[in-house]
Amino acid sequence: FDRLTASFSESEKSSSEYKQFEEQLVSQGAEPYSTRFLTRQSRQAFEAKNYSQAFQTATKAVARDSALEHRAEARYIQARILEQELVNQSVKTTKEDRLSTVLNIKTERLEKALTAYNSAAKMAKDPQLALQILEGIDRSYGNYISSLRNMELPASLSEADQKTLRKEIENITV
């Protein structure tokens, strides 16, 4: 396979004929080639900031009946997208009754990102990918801790309630 794909020039790899070649291998379930093609497509979509397409294509790659190490990068791409959702999830609220909801959503986003990173870690055999996964876990925890510690509490909370809540947040994020 590697010799076959290496026989195509970079310009040929962007041709419609090459894309048809890839699609034919995927439709025939030729592994690990199908998983590699889907993962490459997912990576390209991710780099182009087409996160929805990247996640969907990575999902197809992860679901393939291929060795775990061939699916690890696709799962990593999913984890990166879930990490971005975590980072983009704000913890700002001016209403006491929304505080719990906002914190729950942020926590759910953290759990999803960590689940994806942990499953990618179990699949990965490549040390460089394993390192990237660990860095993603670190970033995810760092974002969660920073967001909670720096969040503005609703002004409607009494000073005593704000102090108690800050203490609880500190206990959670230690």
Side-chain angles (χ1 to χ4, degrees):
F1 169 76
D2 292 328
R3 277 189 264 148
L4 177 62
T5 57
S7 69
F8 288 93
S9 70
E10 286 305 312
S11 63
E12 289 173 322
K13 287 182 180 178
S14 62
S15 71
S16 62
E17 291 85 11
Y18 188 79
K19 299 245 187 271
Q20 287 175 336
F21 167 70
E22 285 182 337
E23 290 171 9
Q24 188 174 26
L25 285 176
V26 171
S27 69
Q28 292 175 356
E31 293 298 345
Y33 319 115
S34 299
T35 302
R36 288 181 184 173
F37 287 135
L38 289 168
T39 300
R40 193 185 77 217
Q41 289 173 349
S42 178
R43 185 181 333 108
Q44 290 170 341
F46 181 82
E47 290 168 355
K49 299 186 183 334
N50 186 347
Y51 301 122
S52 177
Q53 181 65 40
F55 196 90
Q56 290 172 1
T57 307
T59 299
K60 291 176 186 175
V62 170
R64 305 285 309 182
D65 187 20
S66 185
L68 290 177
E69 64 266 18
H70 297 136
R71 296 181 281 158
E73 184 183 357
R75 187 63 173 147
Y76 170 71
I77 292 168
Q78 288 180 315
R80 289 288 311 271
I81 294 166
L82 292 168
E83 177 189 348
Q84 286 182 334
E85 290 180 2
L86 166 71
V87 169
N88 292 337
Q89 179 60 52
S90 172
V91 291
K92 293 181 182 178
T93 183
T94 57
K95 300 179 181 175
E96 284 177 54
D97 58 339
R98 293 258 318 131
L99 184 61
S100 173
T101 302
V102 167
L103 292 175
N104 281 336
I105 293 170
K106 186 75 170 181
T107 302
E108 287 173 11
R109 299 275 166 101
L110 173 66
E111 290 170 356
K112 286 181 180 182
L114 293 178
T115 297
Y117 276 125
N118 285 325
S119 65
K122 290 176 186 174
M123 296 175 172
K125 297 225 188 237
D126 174 32
Q128 184 63 36
L129 181 58
L131 176 62
Q132 291 172 332
I133 291 166
L134 292 174
E135 290 170 343
I137 291 171
D138 181 60
R139 285 190 309 270
S140 296
Y141 274 124
N143 173 269
Y144 183 77
I145 290 168
S146 175
S147 294
L148 265 58
R149 285 185 177 170
N150 296 320
M151 71 184 281
E152 290 185 33
L153 299 177
S156 59
L157 287 174
S158 70
E159 191 172 318
D161 287 343
Q162 286 190 16
K163 189 174 182 179
T164 302
L165 186 54
R166 285 274 175 225
K167 185 171 175 77
E168 287 301 316
I169 289 172
E170 188 63 33
N171 289 338
I172 291 170
T173 59
V174 171

